[in-house]
């Protein structure tokens, strides 16, 4: 194991600020002297090969209850208004249930979202006032909506309740994913593209630091064309049946389904005590509590050429700057410290130099390489404003420019701009249309 210095190395390449996009003024709100837009998602809303954006705000307060959207605003890369739905709203207390995706497979993009029916009677601990909607991506028109009892009967409170997401999944084995799951506290509800409930699942564990992952992960672990669901304390079949249920370890804050075993098999990665599991519940790797006392965040990518295949990067000591890179043999490749960032969360892997090159780790306006050295700093970002849990630059890795290298799409939910940084050299002639993928529509954000 190598222990790397936390001294910052000189940046090797200066990132280029490709775009600084002003969020339309019609979408902004001002509260306590701070003008901002809210949380953000991206996708090709108008089906023209360019990435577009949606900002949204919630009906409930920043610090309490679930994320219940009451306002959405769509705009393009030039800051032009495409459409808006609802009004008002406050800063979502966590990234929430809004997804941009072609859910019916017709080649045109939709927006999937929860939406509050009546902001005057909203109760953050209840879903009784919420519908799930499928919107036309180009106009915002409601194509379908539903409020099934499995959704509206849901109640909850506390940390496990406030993290609510919609995740696209291929549960029925279609040629493209045409299903999705929603996570509501202890409950998972699976829907098809007609908003019919396919199944529900509930787990008994619901206490802070002793509950399944706040945000599950989906992926095809057995290579049958249908996705399993990893909740950290369980893996579900595409039909919602538990393939296994185990309380593996405390602080199951982040989970992933991704390739391991030299890219031959997808595994379930579970941050609690550092586990890699197969679909039958066997531990491929178990680092243990002494090594991973609090697995706060976890990402899987080919970070370092020290060993072949993918590696696991884990923020292993809670809300701190301590990182650990682990190889497929279970050996710790290195430990290192990254820069401080608000709440010390928000990391992600980004293929800055292309899919054939090692990934970098984004953290708090910087990129770190697999050797544990600071490689790039996005110096043109303004100073962070906003509160501890939301006031930083979230990163959505995406090949916006279509040149096979991932750009860093950065936004602060408490600000008024979207920043897109591209790696040097600037390759304008190489740019092709934007191709959305699961790293955008099932963006992880703040495990």
């Amino acid at each position: 194991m190598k222990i790397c210095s936390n001294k910052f190395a000189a940046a090797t390449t200066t990132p280029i600020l490709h775009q600084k996009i002003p969020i339309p003024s019609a979408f902004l709100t001002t509260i306590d002297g701070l003008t901002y837009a809210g949380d953000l998602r991206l996708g090709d809303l108008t089906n023209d090969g360019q990435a577009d954006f949606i900002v949204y705000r919630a009906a409930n307060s920043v610090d309490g209850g679930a994320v219940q959207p009451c306002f959405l605003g769509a705009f393009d890369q030039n800051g032009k208004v495409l459409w808006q739905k609802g009004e008002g709203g406050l800063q979502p207390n966590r990234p929430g249930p809004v997804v941009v995706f072609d859910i019916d497979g017709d080649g045109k993009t939709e927006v999937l979202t929860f939406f509050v029916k009546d902001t005057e009677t909203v109760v953050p601990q209840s879903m009784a006032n919420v519908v799930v909607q499928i919107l036309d991506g180009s106009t915002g028109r409601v194509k379908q909506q539903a409020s099934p009892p499995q959704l509206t009967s849901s109640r909850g409170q506390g940390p496990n309740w406030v993290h609510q997401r919609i995740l696209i999944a291929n549960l029925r084995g279609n040629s493209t994913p045409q299903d999705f799951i929603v996570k509501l506290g202890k409950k998972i509800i699976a829907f098809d593209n007609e908003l019919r409930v396919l199944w529900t699942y509930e787990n008994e564990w619901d206490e802070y630091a002793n509950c399944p992952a706040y945000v599950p992960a989906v992926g095809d672990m057995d290579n049958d064309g249908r996705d399993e669901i990893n909740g950290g304390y369980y893996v579900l079949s595409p039909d919602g049946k538990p393939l296994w249920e185990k309380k593996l370890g405390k602080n199951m804050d982040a989970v992933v389904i991704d390739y391991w075993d030299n890219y031959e098999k997808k595994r379930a990665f579970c941050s609690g005590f550092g586990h890699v599991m197969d679909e039958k519940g066997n531990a491929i790797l178990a680092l243990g509590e002494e090594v991973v006392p609090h697995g706060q965040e976890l990402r899987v990518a080919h970070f370092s050429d020290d060993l072949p295949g993918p590696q696991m990067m884990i923020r292993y000591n809670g809300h701190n700057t301590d990182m650990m890179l682990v190889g497929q043999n279970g050996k710790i490749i290195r430990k290192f410290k990254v820069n401080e960032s608000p709440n010390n969360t928000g990391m992600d892997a980004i293929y800055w130099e292309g899919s054939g090159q090692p990934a970098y780790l984004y953290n708090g306006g910087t990129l770190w390489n697999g050797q544990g050295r600071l490689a790039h700093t996005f110096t043109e970002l303004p100073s962070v404003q906003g509160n501890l849990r939301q006031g930083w630059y979230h990163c959505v890795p995406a090949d916006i420019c279509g040149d096979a290298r991932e750009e860093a799409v950065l936004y602060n939910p408490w600000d008024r701009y979207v920043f897109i940084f591209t790696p040097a050299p600037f390759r304008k002639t190489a740019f092709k249309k934007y191709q959305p993928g699961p790293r955008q529509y099932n963006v992880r954000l703040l495990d």
Side-chain angles (χ1 to χ4, degrees):
M1 179 182 68
K2 301 177 183 179
I3 306 295
C4 296
S5 169
N6 64 353
K7 293 182 179 180
F8 293 173
T12 57
T13 304
T14 302
I16 296 170
L17 178 57
H18 176 55
Q19 284 185 294
K20 178 183 177 181
I21 305 169
I23 297 173
S25 58
F27 296 168
L28 305 178
T29 190
T30 300
I31 298 176
D32 295 332
L34 189 63
T35 299
Y36 62 90
D39 197 26
L40 180 139
R41 295 291 181 272
L42 66 88
D44 186 0
L45 295 169
T46 56
N47 310 294
D48 64 352
Q50 299 293 316
D52 306 301
F53 304 92
I54 285 181
V55 292
Y56 67 94
R57 292 190 291 273
N60 50 286
S61 69
V62 172
D63 296 319
V67 179
Q68 300 179 337
C70 65
F71 165 81
L72 294 93
F75 60 102
D76 66 15
Q77 283 191 51
N78 297 314
K80 176 185 174 182
V81 172
L82 299 177
W83 51 264
Q84 69 181 75
K85 174 182 171 61
E87 60 184 6
L90 302 171
Q91 181 62 256
N93 55 4
R94 296 291 192 280
V98 178
V99 170
V100 181
F101 185 71
D102 176 14
I103 192 62
D104 56 12
D106 68 350
K108 297 180 180 180
T109 304
E110 285 81 38
V111 176
L112 288 74
T113 184
F114 289 170
F115 207 76
V116 172
K117 292 186 287 188
D118 179 9
T119 57
E120 298 298 321
T121 59
V122 66
V123 177
Q125 292 77 31
S126 168
M127 300 300 290
N129 196 29
V130 175
V131 297
V132 60
Q133 295 181 331
I134 299 177
L135 312 178
D136 182 285
S138 61
T139 66
R141 176 182 61 88
V142 177
K143 297 179 67 172
Q144 296 184 69
Q145 76 173 31
S147 52
Q150 296 91 332
L151 173 71
T152 57
S153 65
S154 299
R155 306 285 189 275
Q157 59 184 344
N160 195 26
W161 177 252
V162 300
H163 295 80
Q164 298 187 354
R165 295 291 183 92
I166 295 174
L167 296 172
I168 303 301
N170 192 343
L171 302 177
R172 293 174 293 159
N174 292 312
S175 57
T176 62
Q178 295 182 33
D179 313 298
F180 63 96
I181 64 170
V182 301
K183 183 265 181 186
L184 301 170
K186 297 188 297 181
K187 183 186 294 186
I188 302 284
I189 309 174
F191 291 83
D192 68 11
N193 58 351
E194 299 290 336
L195 298 184
R196 294 177 294 230
V197 173
L198 298 174
W199 48 261
T200 62
Y201 166 81
E202 287 197 52
N203 191 280
E204 63 180 291
W205 296 298
D206 197 36
E207 296 180 0
Y208 175 70
N210 289 280
C211 63
Y214 295 136
V215 183
V218 301
D220 184 4
M221 295 183 66
D222 56 6
N223 200 33
D224 68 348
R226 304 169 71 201
D227 286 336
E228 284 72 39
I229 296 94
N230 176 19
Y233 286 178
Y234 58 80
V235 164
L236 304 181
S237 76
D239 299 314
K241 306 298 183 184
L243 296 176
W244 58 262
E245 293 175 304
K246 297 179 182 181
K247 189 174 180 298
L248 291 177
K250 295 178 63 176
N251 302 113
M252 191 60 70
D253 290 302
V255 293
V256 174
I257 292 179
D258 210 332
Y259 281 107
W260 200 237
D261 306 295
N262 294 319
Y263 299 105
E264 294 177 0
K265 289 280 291 184
K266 283 188 174 181
R267 304 298 192 184
F269 296 82
C270 311
S271 70
F273 298 170
H275 283 82
V276 181
M277 308 290 290
D278 70 12
E279 68 272 24
K280 298 179 181 179
N282 301 309
I284 306 299
L285 174 63
L287 295 174
E289 185 175 9
E290 290 188 2
V291 177
V292 182
H294 182 158
Q296 181 63 40
E297 293 183 286
L298 183 154
R299 295 293 182 268
V300 179
H302 180 53
F303 286 105
S304 176
D305 282 332
D306 289 17
L307 291 172
Q311 294 105 29
M312 178 171 65
M313 186 78 76
I314 186 166
R315 193 187 297 263
Y316 64 92
N317 194 27
H319 291 278
N320 290 293
T321 61
D322 304 313
M323 296 291 177
M324 178 190 297
L325 185 65
V326 181
Q328 295 173 51
N329 58 5
K331 298 292 181 61
I332 298 171
I333 301 172
R334 61 181 53 87
K335 291 182 177 181
F336 62 99
K337 289 182 178 290
V338 294
N339 57 308
E340 290 277 353
S341 60
N343 205 40
N344 283 319
T345 48
M347 75 184 210
D348 211 335
I350 178 169
Y351 285 94
W352 185 247
E353 296 176 351
S355 59
Q357 299 298 318
Y360 288 77
L361 182 75
Y362 172 84
N363 183 75
T366 64
L367 291 180
W368 295 76
N369 64 27
Q371 304 305 313
R373 299 186 181 95
L374 180 69
H376 307 294
T377 300
F378 300 111
T379 57
E380 295 172 276
L381 290 174
S383 298
V384 170
Q385 59 181 355
N387 75 7
L388 175 67
R389 287 216 171 263
Q390 289 282 357
W392 61 67
Y393 287 99
H394 299 266
C395 178
V396 182
D399 183 8
I400 297 292
C401 300
D403 64 352
R405 301 180 300 173
E406 288 188 328
E407 278 68 46
V409 180
L410 305 181
Y411 71 97
N412 177 0
W414 291 97
D415 210 340
R416 296 174 284 178
Y417 299 94
V418 179
F419 297 84
I420 302 177
F421 287 89
T422 191
F426 186 70
R427 298 173 178 170
K428 185 175 181 179
T429 57
F431 289 179
K432 301 175 183 177
K433 72 175 188 177
Y434 165 64
Q435 296 283 357
R439 303 192 69 214
Q440 292 88 58
Y441 58 76
N442 281 347
V443 63
R444 298 307 301 169
L445 292 178
L446 292 184
D447 290 315

